[in-house]
Amino acid sequence: MDGTRCARLLLSVAFALALLAGTAHARPAGLRVGVADQNASTFAKPLYRRLGGRISRLMVPLNAAQDPYRRAWVERWLAAAKADGVEPLVAFSRFYGTPYKLPSVAQYRRAFRAFRQAFPQVTEFIPWNEENHQAQPTFSHPARAAAYYEVMRNNCPRCKIVAADVLDTHGAAAWLTKFLRALHGPRPRLWGLHNYIDANHHRLTGTERVLATVRGTIWLTETGGLVKTAALPYGEKRAAGAIRFLFGIVRRWPTRIGRVYVYNWRGVVNARLARKHPLYWDSGLTEPNGRPRPGYYALRYELKRMRLGCWSPNAAFSTAAWLAGCN
C-alpha cells in the first residue's frame, strides 16, 4: 500500500472512531427506535420485549386488503402490535415472486382506499418500499411514485406519510430529484431511507446525499446489520459493528433523523446453513432458533446508552404488563 492510500485509510478509521465515540451518550430529541419485522409472533418474544420499542414497520403487497389470506395476516400482525403497545408503520411493496408490473394510479387508489377501509387504525404509511431499487417497478418511474404519494396524501390528509422511501445507493439523490420535480402541491417534510450500505460499510456518503437532497425529517425505515447476503459471507460480529456504526450516524444528524426501524428479528441461517445457501439474505437479531446474536446486544447497548427503550426512566410506555419488570 502506498503512502497516500495508507494515510487515507488511517484518516477514515480515525473519523469512524470519532463518529462512534464523540457523542457516545447523546440522544437526538424525539428519537424513536423499533424493530421492523413481518411476523406477528415476534411481539411476544421476551427478548424482543426487553428492548422496549414502541414502533414497528410492516411491509405488505398493494392488494393486501383485497386478498382474504393476506388481509387475515395483516389483521393478526396489527392485533399483536396493538396488544404490546406498538405503533404500526405500513409500507406497500412488490413482493418477490409477485408481478413486476407497475400499478396504474387508479389501481393504486382503489387498493389504498380498500386498505384504509379495512384497517382504519393505521395512520402511518409508506407509499412504496425502497422505490429506487431495481427489483421494484418504481425503479425507473419516480414520477409514478410521486403520484402514489399524492394519492395517499389526498385520501388520508390526517395520516403521517413518508413521501419517498429509498435505498442509499449512488443514484438515490438523482432519483429523489426526479421525484421532487414530479410532485404537485406543498413539498413533503418526511422521508424514508434504508441506509444499509452506509451502516455496513462504515461510511456516511449515502445518508449525507439524501439529507442534502430533501428537506425535513428522515426516518430510517429499514436498516441494520447484515449477517449474510449474496455479497457478504456470514458474519455476526460484522453485523453487530454495523448496528453500532448506524447509531453513530443517527447521533451525527440529531435534528434530521427521527426514527430508526432495525430489520429484522429472526434470522434464517446459521453459519453452517449459510454455506449451503450462499444467496440468502439474513439481517436477523437472533439466530433461527431464537438465540440472540451479537447484533441484538449491540442494539440493546445503544438503546441503553441513549436512554431509550426499557432504560428510559421518563418514557411514556403503554400499560402492557411485561413493561413493569423492564430494567
Side-chain angles (χ1 to χ4, degrees):
M1 180 182 295
D2 59 49
T4 302
R5 289 179 62 193
C6 183
R8 287 176 178 172
L9 177 60
L10 291 174
L11 182 62
S12 175
V13 171
F15 180 76
L17 291 173
L19 177 65
L20 289 170
T23 54
H25 300 282
R27 175 163 64 98
L31 178 68
R32 305 182 75 186
V33 180
V35 176
D37 196 81
Q38 298 293 102
N39 298 301
S41 62
T42 295
F43 298 115
K45 305 294 184 186
L47 288 172
Y48 173 88
R49 289 173 164 177
R50 276 188 55 82
L51 296 176
R54 296 191 65 214
I55 57 173
S56 188
R57 186 214 63 178
L58 176 67
M59 188 169 64
V60 304
L62 182 60
N63 69 342
Q66 299 161 311
D67 177 274
Y69 174 80
R70 287 170 171 164
R71 180 168 173 160
W73 161 59
V74 174
E75 287 173 349
R76 288 193 298 271
W77 192 97
L78 291 174
K82 181 179 180 180
D84 274 357
V86 174
E87 297 176 19
L89 169 66
V90 168
F92 293 104
S93 182
R94 168 190 176 261
F95 278 19
Y96 291 99
T98 59
Y100 192 81
K101 185 179 178 180
L102 185 72
S104 69
V105 176
Q107 288 172 328
Y108 188 93
R109 184 181 296 108
R110 285 194 296 271
F112 179 63
R113 286 176 174 174
F115 193 94
R116 284 289 297 147
Q117 184 175 8
F119 306 108
Q121 69 271 38
V122 180
T123 58
E124 296 183 353
F125 291 100
I126 298 171
W128 203 272
N129 173 70
E130 217 165 75
E131 291 162 301
N132 66 327
H133 193 287
Q134 60 186 3
Q136 296 293 344
T138 50
F139 171 65
S140 300
H141 300 277
R144 181 66 60 84
Y148 295 163
Y149 163 71
E150 291 172 358
V151 166
M152 274 196 174
R153 183 185 62 189
N154 295 337
N155 284 272
C156 195
R158 295 186 179 181
C159 287
K160 193 171 289 186
I161 301 169
V162 174
D165 190 57
V166 298
L167 180 66
D168 61 337
T169 60
H170 179 74
W175 192 96
L176 284 167
T177 299
K178 294 176 182 177
F179 177 95
L180 285 165
R181 288 173 182 165
L183 282 175
H184 303 90
R187 285 290 186 260
R189 302 289 297 180
L190 180 60
W191 305 86
L193 174 63
H194 299 187
N195 65 342
Y196 279 118
I197 301 174
D198 278 3
N200 287 274
H201 290 84
H202 292 206
R203 69 170 208 185
L204 302 173
T205 51
T207 304
E208 198 164 36
R209 287 193 194 107
V210 170
L211 287 167
T213 304
V214 300
R215 295 179 181 271
T217 301
I218 298 284
W219 288 356
L220 302 182
T221 50
E222 185 179 321
T223 187
L226 301 177
V227 176
K228 172 74 182 76
T229 70
L232 292 173
Y234 191 89
E236 294 183 1
K237 291 183 178 179
R238 183 191 64 245
I243 289 176
R244 290 192 294 270
F245 192 86
L246 163 65
F247 282 91
I249 294 174
V250 172
R251 288 187 289 270
R252 182 174 177 82
W253 286 286
T255 62
R256 297 291 308 276
I257 298 175
R259 293 190 188 181
V260 180
Y261 294 82
V262 176
Y263 184 81
N264 63 328
W265 181 249
R266 187 171 70 89
V268 295
V269 294
N270 54 30
R272 179 180 59 83
L273 289 173
R275 291 191 291 270
K276 295 183 178 180
H277 303 284
L279 300 181
Y280 274 20
W281 167 288
D282 190 325
S283 58
L285 293 169
T286 71
E287 293 182 10
N289 63 6
R291 181 177 300 171
R293 287 170 168 167
Y296 171 84
Y297 294 108
L299 174 58
R300 201 168 76 173
Y301 175 74
E302 292 296 336
L303 293 174
K304 183 176 182 179
R305 78 196 301 201
M306 291 192 295
R307 303 179 71 81
L308 290 167
C310 292
W311 296 272
S312 178
N314 300 315
F317 285 128
S318 74
T319 57
W322 58 268
L323 289 167
C326 208
N327 54 50

